[in-house]
């Protein structure tokens, strides 16, 4: 539990090579002083920049048409309106600013779909820090607009060609860079994963979501919500929107994972056609931390899958894994098809095009609203502009000629 030991029940810790220990210890010390003790007014500076540069506070919107549909009150926490279009800036800005206070001169980061890389590149441009982002070769080809965004903000994008050329390899490569450049470099990790103090520190940078939402819902609904729901990949928006509600025993917390195309695992091929780590994973070590992971019988990390790139990760934050084990958080999952339905429904009913990640949580509310109480808080972790092409492909196939079918979809009343 204690952030000082970096242990959350069985999970967490620091499973890193010796070469990284000096950097980790230096970071622990900086986290303690600047973040927890607000030395030199660090947290005040951070909050002021989240407002000026980031556009915080983000609104809490009473979703009128969804509320009518479910005959209960649904409130949307609009992290899609944060600068950059997702919650990721909260963490990226916090870490780059911390690196600056620590006297570091160079920022490195990993990125999968490019969302964390773009948030880090934005924060670096804002703070005048050189930035290098490691990205799998395959992801670079799949996510060209994000590669361009990072370069526009002055970041260098380093292609990673080992393995499958995706997020897992990009993280390992960034760790290697960090180990050889610990003196002047800070590694901005993208979620509540990795060795201590990252899981606790990233949670504390994302905590602003629930600090705001808890106040906002008391003002708007006159009470706390019965349930809080959000998607979980690594779990940073998840821990962010849960953090302040954890002591509120009457508030149910739901982490919605990616059920992908199936929960069945192909052990032989080492493939999990989902990213439902909390629901189906087992205890193991990934990227410096003991947590729940998708692994085969030999402990090899499996290839994961989700229609939403941001949820496509074979591990999960250790604190979230522990909260699920202790029964404080309920882990559920939603498959690709239902997430796509959720994406369309929220777009049509509320005029909010959510990230495919967030659409998973919206889809869970559709199916289960009767069990979620009278007041529901649904976190919209990001906007869906980045997913338009994926949705088009998934819904209508690659043939752009078929795009007008979107109208047919609306005419049929969508997924009523
Ligand atoms: C990256 C991302 C996620 C998943 O990351 P977490 O660390 O699980 O929050 C969810 N939603 C959006 C919009 C993202 O970009």
């Amino acid at each position: 539990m204690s952030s000082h030991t970096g242990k959350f029940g069985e999970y967490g810790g620091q499973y890193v090579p010796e070469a990284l220990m000096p950097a980790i210890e230096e970071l622990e010390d900086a986290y303690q002083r600047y973040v927890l003790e607000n030395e030199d007014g660090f947290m005040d500076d951070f909050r002021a920049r989240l407002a000026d540069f980031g556009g915080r506070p983000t609104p809490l919107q009473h979703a009128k048409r969804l509320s009518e549909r479910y005959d209960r009150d649904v409130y949307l926490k609009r992290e899609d309106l944060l600068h950059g279009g997702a919650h990721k800036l909260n963490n990226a800005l916090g870490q780059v600013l911390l690196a600056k206070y620590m006297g570091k001169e160079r920022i490195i980061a990993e990125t999968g779909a490019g969302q964390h890389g773009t948030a880090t590149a934005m924060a670096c441009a804002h703070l005048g820090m050189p930035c290098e982002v490691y990205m799998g070769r395959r992801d670079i080809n799949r996510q060209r607009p994000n590669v361009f965004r990072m370069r526009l903000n002055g970041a260098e994008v380093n292609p990673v060609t080992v393995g499958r050329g995706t997020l897992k390899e990009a993280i390992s490569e960034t760790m290697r860079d960090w180990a050889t450049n610990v003196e002047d470099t800070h590694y901005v990790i993208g979620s509540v994963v990795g060795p201590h103090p990252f899981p606790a520190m990233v949670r504390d940078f994302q905590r602003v979501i629930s600090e705001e939402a808890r106040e906002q819902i008391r003002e708007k609904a006159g009470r706390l919500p019965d349930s809080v729901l959000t998607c979980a990949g690594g779990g940073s928006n998840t821990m962010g929107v849960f953090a302040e509600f954890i002591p509120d025993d009457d508030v149910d917390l739901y982490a919605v994972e990616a059920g992908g195309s199936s929960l069945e695992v192909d052990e032989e091929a080492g493939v999990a056609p989902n990213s439902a780590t909390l629901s189906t994973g087992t205890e193991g070590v990934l990227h410096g931390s003991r947590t729940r992971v998708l692994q085969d019988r030999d402990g090899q990390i499996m290839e994961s899958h989700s229609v939403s790139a941001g949820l496509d990760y074979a591990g999960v934050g250790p604190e979230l894994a522990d909260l699920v084990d202790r029964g404080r958080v309920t882990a559920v999952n939603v498959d690709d098809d239902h997430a796509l339905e959720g994406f369309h429904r929220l777009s049509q009913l509320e005029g909010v095009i959510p990230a495919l990640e967030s659409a998973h949580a919206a889809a869970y509310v559709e199916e289960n609203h009767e069990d979620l109480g009278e007041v529901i808080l649904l976190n919209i972790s990001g906007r869906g502009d980045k997913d338009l092409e994926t949705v088009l492909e998934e819904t209508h196939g690659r043939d752009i000629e078929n795009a007008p079918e979107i109208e047919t979809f609306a005419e049929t009343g969508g997924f009523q």
Side-chain angles (χ1 to χ4, degrees), residues 68-79:
E68 265 167 40
R69 182 179 175 87
Y70 302 141
D71 194 23
R72 59 206 69 223
D73 286 309
V74 180
Y75 291 87
L76 308 178
K77 180 60 173 163
R78 300 285 309 274
E79 289 299 294

Side-chain angles (χ1 to χ4, degrees), residues 4 24 56-57 68 87 109 121 163 169 189 223 261 289 292 340 356 395 409 414:
H4 295 285
I24 297 272
R56 300 211 75 92
E68 265 167 40
H87 69 288
E169 292 85 14
I189 208 163
R223 49 169 288 198
S261 54
S289 181
R292 291 236 208 143
L340 285 161
L356 271 175
T395 321
F409 180 88

Side-chain angles (χ1 to χ4, degrees), residues 171-405:
I171 295 183
S172 307
E173 208 54 33
T174 321
M175 293 242 183
R176 244 189 298 279
D177 179 321
W178 200 26
T180 37
N181 299 290
V182 285
E183 298 264 302
D184 69 342
T185 300
H186 174 69
Y187 172 18
V188 179
I189 208 163
S191 190
V192 285
V193 300
H196 177 71
F198 282 110
M201 184 175 74
V202 175
R203 173 204 62 209
D204 287 343
F205 288 141
Q206 292 290 356
R207 179 189 291 276
V208 62
I209 304 173
S210 54
E211 283 171 352
E212 287 174 7
R214 198 170 180 283
E215 279 309 302
Q216 289 167 320
I217 204 155
R218 285 174 81 169
E219 219 162 89
K220 295 206 164 181
R223 49 169 288 198
L224 292 178
D226 294 308
S227 51
V228 180
L229 297 99
T230 198
C231 60
S236 67
N237 91 92
T238 330
M239 288 309 304
V241 75
F242 288 172
E244 293 290 313
F245 292 106
I246 289 171
D248 302 318
D249 289 334
D250 292 340
V251 180
D252 295 334
L253 308 174
Y254 291 87
V256 186
E257 297 192 290
S261 54
S262 160
L263 288 184
E264 296 293 317
V265 162
D266 185 346
E267 280 262 357
E268 290 296 304
V271 174
N274 63 73
S275 310
T277 320
L278 292 166
S279 317
T280 69
T282 49
E283 201 176 318
V285 171
L286 179 61
H287 298 133
S289 181
R290 177 167 288 278
T291 184
R292 291 236 208 143
V293 295
L294 298 176
Q295 57 190 337
D296 65 16
R297 269 180 244 115
D298 302 328
Q300 291 296 314
I301 301 302
M302 285 193 283
E303 210 174 285
S304 54
H305 161 80
S306 168
V307 69
S308 71
L311 301 185
D312 193 351
Y313 180 60
V316 67
E319 184 173 17
L320 188 54
D322 181 52
L323 286 166
V324 170
D325 278 10
R326 289 195 287 119
R328 181 65 191 95
V329 169
T330 306
V332 295
N333 57 79
V334 160
D335 66 20
D336 288 349
D337 290 347
H338 285 89
L340 285 161
E341 291 177 14
F343 178 92
H344 285 97
R345 194 181 305 110
L346 201 60
S347 302
Q348 292 180 4
L349 286 184
E350 293 292 342
V352 175
I353 301 176
L356 271 175
E357 290 84 357
S358 323
H360 283 73
Y364 188 81
V365 176
E366 170 81 7
E367 304 277 323
N368 300 278
H369 54 88
E370 286 176 3
D371 303 324
L372 299 174
E374 292 301 312
V375 178
I376 299 170
L377 173 57
L378 172 60
N379 190 42
I380 305 300
S381 54
R383 68 177 180 224
D385 303 53
K386 66 184 178 59
D387 297 316
L388 297 185
E389 205 166 322
T390 304
V391 172
L392 214 57
E393 273 176 34
E394 294 285 334
T395 321
H396 306 284
R398 255 204 171 279
D399 188 357
I400 212 78
E401 293 288 307
N402 283 329
E405 280 180 28

